[in-house]
Amino acid sequence: MNPSSIDLTAFNTFGFAVSASQYVPVRSARELQNYFKAAPDAPCFVLGGGSNLVLTRDIDVTVLHMLAQGFAVYEESDSHVLVGVQAGHVWHDFVMSCLNNGWLGLENLALIPGSVGASPVQNIGAYGVEVKDCISKIKAWDRLHHKWAWLAAADCAFGYRDSVFKHQFLDDARTQPRYVISKVFFKLLKDPALWQAKIGYGDVAACVAQIAGDAVVTAQHIAQAIIQIRSSKLPDPQVLGNAGSFFKNPIVAAQVAQKLKAQYSTMPMYPQADGTVKIAAGWLIEQAGFKGLREGAVGVYDKQALVLVHYGQGSGLELMAFAQRICAKVFEQFGVQIAPEPIVY
Ligand SMILES: Cc1cc2nc3c(=O)[nH]c(=O)nc-3n(C[C@H](O)[C@H](O)[C@H](O)COP(=O)(O)OP(=O)(O)OC[C@H]3O[C@@H](n4cnc5c(N)ncnc54)[C@H](O)[C@@H]3O)c2cc1C
């Protein structure tokens, strides 16, 4: 492979104009292995679809662009199927292929941008489902031991927008991830009799009812509803730069939640299994007066306060400064810390 410099504007959904001094497209597991065998200790930056990134500067290490495509069935029974998917496969395309093949479980995660390889990194989630629920195991290059590693789902420390892949690094500055994911294995349902529709979140049930009418609800109906809802609420990165929800919903102790509820009765809260309480960050940001606000080249989307947008000609630094002002105002008003979801480089 012959590394060469490249403009990354089209490779990050915020559309920030940064470049990489060295760029290596990775189109197979073999290419990934060969790269690391040849340069075992060289620093790198792993890029998927660039939909969860804020690039604040040029990248001065080799960008490994994960582009390997395809999936295959590895095991099959009457009830389940085990499918291995290459890291560079487009996530939404895989979800659609699942529906076409009658594989159930990922329908609520339709239309999330990005690659399959990045899906475990922040344990993508939407409309009451997280990808961890369908992941069986992961094949990744272990840059610590210079060999392939197999991680069972239980080894991945999946949490809310979190996993082991966000915590294991080779360097103190946490820029060099230990694992580079090459293939994700999903255990999906085949038998519709075992499948349960998950439509309890937000306006999914109403939208599904509208689409399905009197028919029995299927995974296709749910995916169609999710696509419809997402398209109406979230900006298309091709039109307006963004990385989806910019802030994670903060999680607070039950006592803190109680105090906040007494003060702000309409604050949306979601009790968690461990007794903590998740608060809707979008509500906090809206109440703090930021919804629809534009500052220079960046702003808060007018239809969804959780989404920060880039109108063009701005920078990742500008966006991060704006995000910090939002965090500070929310903290000042509510005493609650909110934190960005995307990876900042
Ligand atoms: C409009 C919009 C809506 C969104 N909605 C949601 C949503 O509903 N739920 C949700 O969870 N997310 C959502 N996101 C965020 C984003 O789509 C996901 O986080 C997605 O999984 C990122 O995939 P990617 O390939 O673009 O990763 P990138 O942005 O390229 O990378 C993200 C991180 O993962 C690392 N990475 C990428 N590939 C690999 C690999 N193969 N091995 C190891 N590390 C890797 C990168 O180094 C980086 O640290 C949304 C984004 C947008 C733009």
Side-chain angles (χ1 to χ4, degrees):
M1 280 180 282
N2 209 0
S4 58
S5 170
I6 194 161
D7 175 11
L8 296 178
T9 310
F11 293 156
N12 72 101
T13 59
F14 266 119
F16 291 128
V18 301
S19 65
S21 53
Q22 296 202 306
Y23 171 85
V24 175
V26 178
R27 297 205 167 83
S28 67
R30 175 60 62 89
E31 282 188 7
L32 188 67
Q33 174 171 321
N34 288 348
Y35 175 82
F36 282 122
K37 290 273 181 200
D41 299 314
C44 67
F45 181 93
V46 183
L47 177 68
S51 64
N52 207 30
L53 292 177
V54 183
L55 299 176
T56 63
R57 59 194 161 106
D58 290 339
I59 299 181
D60 54 4
V61 296
T62 302
V63 168
L64 297 181
H65 199 182
M66 307 302 285
L67 297 173
Q69 301 290 313
F71 59 87
V73 172
Y74 283 76
E75 283 171 26
E76 194 162 5
S77 68
D78 288 344
S79 61
H80 287 86
V81 65
L82 182 72
V83 189
V85 193
Q86 303 277 4
H89 205 91
V90 172
W91 172 260
H92 178 68
D93 290 353
F94 177 58
V95 174
M96 290 296 108
S97 298
C98 290
L99 292 170
N100 292 337
N101 283 294
W103 303 334
L104 311 167
L106 297 176
E107 52 283 348
N108 289 49
L109 303 179
L111 214 61
I112 295 181
S115 60
V116 167
S119 66
V121 174
Q122 78 151 0
N123 178 25
I124 56 169
Y127 300 97
V129 171
E130 290 182 320
V131 73
K132 74 173 173 58
D133 300 331
C134 291
I135 289 178
S136 164
K137 58 186 174 181
I138 288 169
K139 182 184 179 187
W141 186 262
D142 180 352
R143 297 173 68 209
L144 183 63
H145 295 119
H146 308 292
K147 60 178 187 180
W148 289 112
W150 287 90
L151 291 98
D155 302 328
C156 295
F158 287 124
Y160 168 57
R161 301 292 185 273
D162 202 16
S163 75
V164 70
F165 305 106
K166 279 189 165 184
H167 296 279
Q168 295 221 1
F169 293 89
L170 303 179
D171 59 334
D172 293 339
R174 299 165 62 83
T175 66
Q176 294 306 307
R178 172 172 170 184
Y179 296 109
V180 180
I181 297 167
S182 168
K183 205 181 265 186
V184 185
F185 290 77
F186 297 91
K187 189 178 180 190
L188 300 165
L189 263 180
K190 255 179 66 185
D191 182 354
L194 299 174
W195 177 76
Q196 277 192 324
K198 292 191 178 122
I199 54 173
Y201 196 99
D203 33 10
V204 178
C207 193
V208 167
Q210 210 177 36
I211 290 167
D214 293 335
V216 175
V217 171
T218 64
Q220 274 86 352
H221 291 135
I222 295 182
Q224 217 180 316
I226 302 274
I227 291 169
Q228 207 169 299
I229 295 167
R230 292 182 71 97
S231 306
S232 70
K233 284 193 174 162
L234 292 167
D236 177 355
Q238 300 286 352
V239 180
L240 187 58
N242 76 93
S245 300
F246 191 87
F247 296 99
K248 289 189 271 197
N249 291 317
I251 294 173
V252 299
Q255 301 93 307
V256 176
Q258 249 172 19
K259 273 192 197 160
L260 286 167
K261 199 71 183 176
Q263 223 177 333
Y264 308 98
S265 60
T266 56
M267 186 183 280
M269 292 187 173
Y270 309 96
Q272 304 296 291
D274 62 1
T276 58
V277 178
K278 197 187 267 182
I279 299 175
W283 187 90
L284 300 173
I285 296 163
E286 189 172 345
Q287 297 299 309
F290 284 96
K291 191 173 180 185
L293 190 82
R294 177 172 177 170
E295 274 191 23
V298 298
V300 175
Y301 191 47
D302 55 1
K303 290 189 201 159
Q304 169 57 271
L306 214 47
V307 177
L308 298 195
V309 293
H310 171 219
Y311 295 97
Q313 311 298 320
S315 71
L317 284 177
E318 204 176 337
L319 184 89
M320 289 314 295
F322 182 55
Q324 265 159 24
R325 280 197 290 282
I326 295 174
C327 293
K329 183 73 199 315
V330 164
F331 186 72
E332 183 192 304
Q333 199 163 327
F334 301 102
V336 175
Q337 287 282 6
I338 56 170
E341 184 180 300
I343 307 292
V344 182
Y345 181 88

